Amino acid sequence: MSALDWDRTETRVALRESLADMQARAGSGLLEHLIDAEIPWIGISTHDGGAGGDLGDAAIAVRTLATMELDAPIAETGLVCGWALASCGLQLERQLMAPAFELGTSLTGIAVDGVVRVSGHVDEVPGALAAQAIITTVEIDGVLQLCAVAIADAAVTSTVNLADESRCSLTYVSAPVVASAPLAAGLTRFDLLARLALARAIQSCGALTELRDLTIGYARTREQFGRPLSDLQVIAQMLAELAELTLSAQAAVAAAIERPGTWQSAIAKSVTGRAARRAAALAHQVHGAMGMSQEYPLGRLTTRLWSWTEEAGRPELWEAWIGEQFLLQSSPVLWDTVVNGVRGESA
Amino acid sequence: MTQLDHLRARVRAFLAEELAERRFTPHCDSWLVGNDRAFSRRLGAQHLIGLMLPTEFGGGGGGVADRLVVSEELLAAGAPVAAHWFAERQFAPSLLRHGTSAQQLEWLPRITGGEACIAIGLSEPDAGSDLAAVRTRAVASEGGWRITGTKIWTSGAHLADAMVVLARTGGERHAGLTQFIVRLPNPDVTVRPIRLISGEHHFNEVSFTEAFVPDADVLGEIGNGWTQAMQELAFERAGPERYLSTLPLLQAMVEGLGPQPADPGAVGRIIADISTFRVVNQRVIEHLAAGDTAAIDIAMLKSSATAFEQRSVAVALDLAADPGRVSPPSTEAATLLRESQFQAPGFTIRGGTNEVLRGIVSKGLLR
Ligand SMILES: Cc1cc2nc3c(=O)[nH]c(=O)nc-3n(C[C@H](O)[C@H](O)[C@H](O)COP(=O)(O)OP(=O)(O)OC[C@H]3O[C@@H](n4cnc5c(N)ncnc54)[C@H](O)[C@@H]3O)c2cc1C
């Protein structure tokens, strides 16, 4: 469809194919297959207890899984939590992890006899039903620490997002941390949220590409007035807009994978989220009533896109952040910021 | 520093000096409205025109990425590049691909020197989006051709050294079209101004009355004009002038905005969008350079980017009215805003309307 659709390097194509193959064979047991194949730990170096590969590899897996029948913390484990732990010199071997990074989330910690214990409440934690530990920040003796806390130690209230993906609330009362380290120099809670935002952007990109193809396919086969919907110019123009939106999401995500960091992640979250909102509306309009049916695959994509757009900072939050960072410079120059980013973050 | 970083630094140094010497005033849409031959010559003297053209013609012998760096820096600064823009952007690659060696020897060094101003003669009164309806005719005549007909909306024809004219040499619709290099001024060619809603004169109606063009000025093959024109359009559509036309305005509007405007997200979204179009552009021209026509991606880029340009003018109005401003927009900002409001409707029309572009996209998607 577009030259930017997928990374066509050999190993990445192979990874996509093996995931599709796993899905075909595994059905509802997909998660076990993914764990056996170490998919959740792709992108964390073997030195840090991961499965190796880089962010680009992890992104391919995350993007591919984004459209599959699966609710499990794959992106959350490696791409988000694994990265955060490795950045702070920590590792949790072969565990599934759930990030509690949403702003407003907070646990308080105290160290007693060398054991850190945490209490408090965190909301909207993705993947907590399947994971073994949450990763979050806790202020201990005035220092912000990155901590892993066992989910088994929490009282869990289960809720779901629009796409029926688990987003739990967890309450801790004096639970021991499994691992902790001061947040690496230069890393803030915002940077952690940005990493989760990047994961959601990558997932959205996968869902958008699928949404575009599904909608094009439907428009070509559904006939009204004696011809396919796609023969109607107004429908064809909507399909083209859908493709434009997908292209911009793909480009923003590709740039964020090439130059990871809060700046590009913020851009990617803004662009994919804006694209997702409009694309979902277009796709539903083209589908008519069919798109509203639970049996038809469109709803699975649009509900995910709606939720992922609002989670991990909605586009407006990241746009305000980008704007503020830009305006905080002494003589802000738009073009230079587009080319070079701000505060040492590369554009 | 990479080679591209060095190149970028060179362009910035050149622009800084030009601005320090007050040799130009930044404008929006400068690639269409900023016709300044002296500027183009100075740029050529710095070897900053034709970076992807062969060195034997005075070019840089580089790749598309080099030209993109130079182009985006010039546009972002609102520099007056219109005098050489069309020549460098589409006439030069067309000459390289289809021109005779005599044509290449004559024109390419002039282009890289910033000495060639070229106008594009595609649209006619009855052939706009439906370009294959072109009626301007060229009839074979002793030693060449005689052209009769009317071209319209021809940007810069009143300032150009030549105009590349798409004319019918036979056949119907797409078949039987040929490109001619018509030198200007010409006694049998009348260039009449068409004033824009702003009152400014940038485009024209150009009438040909049996205007003679020697065989040596036929561009490419007789009957191959449609294919050649479409190749040129790819270059015309896939460039940073599709998302940077309003950058001088946006920059002027953020000045005085202060660190805490009511809506910092408006600025953030602009940065996110431009950054993303830039990535699409970089990738698309790589595909184009690799010989892929990339027509669908290019159409998507131009359609979405120009829609952004139009939206950016609305954002500029919002920024001007932001209650958190530290100081009101400068008089330069007000002028740029006014100019952009006049130019904005054309963003999604020139070079093929967005509806036509989306038609190309959907055809490609449904193929
Ligand atoms: C600032 C500016 C500079 C220009 N400079 C040049 C130049 O230097 N040289 C040159 O040759 N031309 C130039 N043009 C002309 C430009 O290429 C044409 O305006 C453009 O191709 C559209 O043609 P038109 O204006 O005749 O509009 P029309 O083709 O009449 O279109 C009018 C409306 O109908 C829509 N429409 C038409 N066909 C279809 C379709 N099949 N499906 C859906 N909608 C359709 C269009 O999208 C548009 O909204 C310039 C235009 C502008 C605005």
Side-chain angles (χ1 to χ4, degrees):
Chain A
M1 298 265 163
S2 156
L4 270 78
D5 264 13
W6 283 100
D7 186 335
R8 290 190 173 79
T9 50
E10 226 174 282
T11 53
R12 306 245 162 112
V13 171
L15 178 57
R16 270 173 64 203
E17 282 169 358
S18 78
L19 288 171
D21 190 50
M22 251 180 247
Q23 183 193 31
R25 280 186 291 119
S28 61
L30 180 58
L31 180 57
E32 281 117 68
H33 280 76
L34 294 173
I35 290 172
D36 285 346
E38 302 191 314
I39 302 296
W41 300 281
I42 295 179
I44 313 174
S45 75
T46 47
H47 169 79
D48 288 319
D54 60 16
L55 176 59
D57 299 317
I60 289 288
V62 164
R63 221 185 116 164
T64 308
L65 292 168
T67 60
M68 292 187 182
E69 201 83 60
L70 175 75
D71 173 23
I74 308 297
E76 287 81 353
T77 292
L79 204 153
V80 180
C81 294
W83 164 84
L85 291 174
S87 305
C88 302
L90 296 171
Q91 51 168 285
L92 289 187
E93 219 148 316
R94 294 300 183 275
Q95 296 201 13
L96 292 179
M97 297 176 268
F101 290 166
E102 292 285 349
L103 301 175
T105 282
S106 76
L107 297 180
T108 52
I110 43 165
V112 184
D113 300 334
V115 181
V116 175
R117 291 184 171 275
V118 295
S119 299
H121 188 77
V122 288
D123 285 321
E124 299 266 317
V125 183
L129 289 187
Q132 286 87 51
I134 64 159
I135 308 299
T136 192
T137 50
V138 182
E139 203 179 295
I140 301 162
D141 295 334
V143 180
L144 205 56
Q145 305 240 7
L146 189 73
C147 294
V149 194
I151 290 172
D153 289 339
V156 178
T157 310
S158 185
T159 50
V160 292
N161 67 10
L162 292 171
D164 222 13
E165 294 178 306
S166 132
R167 299 289 185 259
C168 291
S169 297
L170 283 73
T171 305
Y172 286 100
V173 181
S174 198
V177 303
V178 180
S180 69
L183 218 51
L187 211 58
T188 66
R189 297 187 63 193
F190 221 71
D191 299 316
L192 298 178
L193 184 67
R195 189 72 174 193
L196 183 59
L198 173 61
R200 294 287 176 260
I202 294 169
Q203 291 175 306
S204 298
C205 183
L208 274 166
T209 308
E210 179 93 353
L211 181 86
R212 178 199 64 191
D213 295 347
L214 182 72
T215 308
I216 291 169
Y218 186 78
R220 317 168 88 114
T221 45
R222 163 80 173 164
E223 293 197 2
Q224 284 293 282
F225 301 98
R227 53 192 173 145
L229 295 179
S230 57
D231 276 8
L232 303 167
Q233 194 185 40
V234 67
I235 297 288
Q237 297 263 315
M238 289 161 86
L239 298 178
E241 187 183 353
L242 201 48
E244 285 170 19
L245 295 163
T246 308
L247 181 69
S248 63
Q250 289 169 344
V253 165
I257 290 167
E258 236 165 63
R259 299 181 292 276
T262 299
W263 183 256
Q264 287 293 341
S265 300
I267 290 174
K269 189 66 166 67
S270 154
V271 171
T272 53
R274 296 278 184 180
R277 287 176 186 160
R278 176 79 183 133
L282 285 166
H284 272 293
Q285 193 65 20
V286 170
H287 274 89
M290 181 60 84
M292 304 286 291
S293 143
Q294 193 178 37
E295 264 172 52
Y296 186 80
L298 180 65
R300 194 175 75 222
L301 296 172
T302 52
T303 52
R304 287 179 185 188
L305 285 169
W306 288 327
S307 286
W308 294 342
T309 296
E310 302 308 307
E311 291 171 5
R314 61 204 309 259
E316 289 76 4
L317 175 133
W318 290 111
E319 288 155 12
W321 179 81
I322 295 167
E324 281 158 11
Q325 296 301 306
F326 166 70
L327 292 166
L328 275 173
Q329 301 174 97
S330 56
S331 311
V333 178
L334 265 178
W335 177 244
D336 193 57
T337 300
V338 167
V339 175
N340 294 316
V342 293
R343 61 153 206 179
E345 295 248 18
S346 66
Chain B
M1 256 204 186
T2 66
Q3 173 256 333
L4 287 179
D5 293 335
H6 275 290
L7 179 58
R8 189 181 302 286
R10 261 179 66 208
V11 186
R12 288 189 178 185
F14 168 77
L15 287 168
E17 195 187 318
E18 290 280 311
L19 283 168
E21 300 287 328
R22 297 179 184 284
R23 294 204 189 103
F24 77 87
T25 310
H27 284 286
C28 288
D29 231 10
S30 60
W31 60 277
L32 204 66
V33 304
N35 195 305
D36 179 345
R37 291 231 182 199
F39 179 88
S40 292
R41 271 197 297 274
R42 291 196 296 276
L43 193 66
Q46 296 291 318
H47 307 289
L48 290 172
I49 300 179
L51 273 100
M52 75 310 174
L53 294 174
T55 48
E56 56 185 300
F57 301 117
V64 286
D66 301 72
R67 175 164 187 264
L68 181 58
V69 163
V70 177
S71 303
E72 63 182 10
E73 288 296 328
L74 292 169
L75 295 171
V81 292
H84 71 274
W85 197 256
F86 302 129
E88 186 202 22
R89 179 177 74 183
Q90 59 208 90
F91 187 45
S94 205
L95 280 169
L96 267 187
R97 192 154 175 184
H98 304 289
T100 62
S101 51
Q103 287 170 343
Q104 293 177 353
L105 276 171
E106 178 188 356
W107 288 104
L108 292 175
R110 282 180 69 185
I111 292 173
T112 54
E115 310 259 3
C117 180
I118 300 292
I120 308 168
L122 296 174
S123 305
E124 296 183 6
D126 293 322
S129 298
D130 184 12
L131 187 59
V134 157
R135 276 204 240 152
T136 296
R137 296 200 74 83
V139 180
S141 163
E142 181 71 40
W145 299 78
R146 290 204 175 268
I147 298 182
T148 302
T150 304
K151 293 289 173 184
I152 197 168
W153 319 126
T154 321
S155 301
H158 55 304
L159 303 166
D161 300 312
M163 175 168 163
V164 178
V165 174
L166 183 68
R168 192 159 294 287
T169 42
E172 295 266 308
R173 302 285 298 167
H174 310 83
L177 293 169
T178 302
Q179 285 188 307
F180 296 90
I181 305 167
V182 181
R183 290 156 198 271
L184 296 172
N186 180 314
D188 301 315
V189 179
T190 312
V191 180
R192 193 180 65 81
I194 303 176
R195 300 218 168 258
L196 291 166
I197 45 182
S198 61
E200 287 181 26
H201 173 203
H202 296 302
F203 58 24
N204 305 276
E205 184 183 71
V206 187
S207 319
F208 303 80
T209 318
E210 299 197 4
F212 183 73
V213 180
D215 283 324
D217 285 346
V218 171
L219 178 57
E221 280 172 49
I222 300 293
N224 196 37
W226 180 264
T227 306
Q228 292 172 205
M230 290 304 116
Q231 288 165 355
E232 282 186 27
L233 275 174
F235 292 106
E236 179 173 342
R237 290 170 177 165
E241 63 267 49
R242 303 305 173 183
Y243 47 93
L244 294 181
S245 296
T246 59
L247 200 89
L249 165 66
L250 296 169
Q251 177 60 36
M253 280 301 170
V254 299
E255 280 160 21
L257 199 54
Q260 285 176 315
D263 185 11
V267 181
R269 191 176 173 195
I270 291 274
I271 292 173
D273 285 345
I274 297 178
S275 301
T276 303
F277 289 124
R278 220 178 145 235
V279 176
V280 177
N281 199 169
Q282 284 163 349
R283 309 225 164 182
V284 163
I285 59 166
E286 278 160 24
H287 289 287
L288 191 59
D292 178 356
T293 61
I296 301 171
D297 283 342
I298 289 170
M300 288 197 273
L301 169 62
K302 180 173 179 287
S303 157
S304 51
T306 55
F308 157 80
E309 284 187 330
Q310 246 162 25
R311 191 174 65 76
S312 75
V313 179
V315 174
L317 285 162
D318 291 343
L319 294 178
D322 191 288
R325 287 193 78 90
V326 171
S327 56
S330 61
T331 45
E332 292 81 45
T335 306
L336 291 167
L337 178 58
R338 198 182 146 80
E339 289 173 357
S340 301
Q341 286 184 289
F342 285 129
Q343 289 297 109
F347 295 165
T348 53
I349 295 171
R350 60 194 184 193
T353 72
N354 284 21
E355 291 72 28
V356 165
L357 294 170
R358 284 188 173 166
I360 293 170
V361 174
S362 62
K363 255 194 216 110
L365 293 173
L366 294 162
R367 197 178 295 139

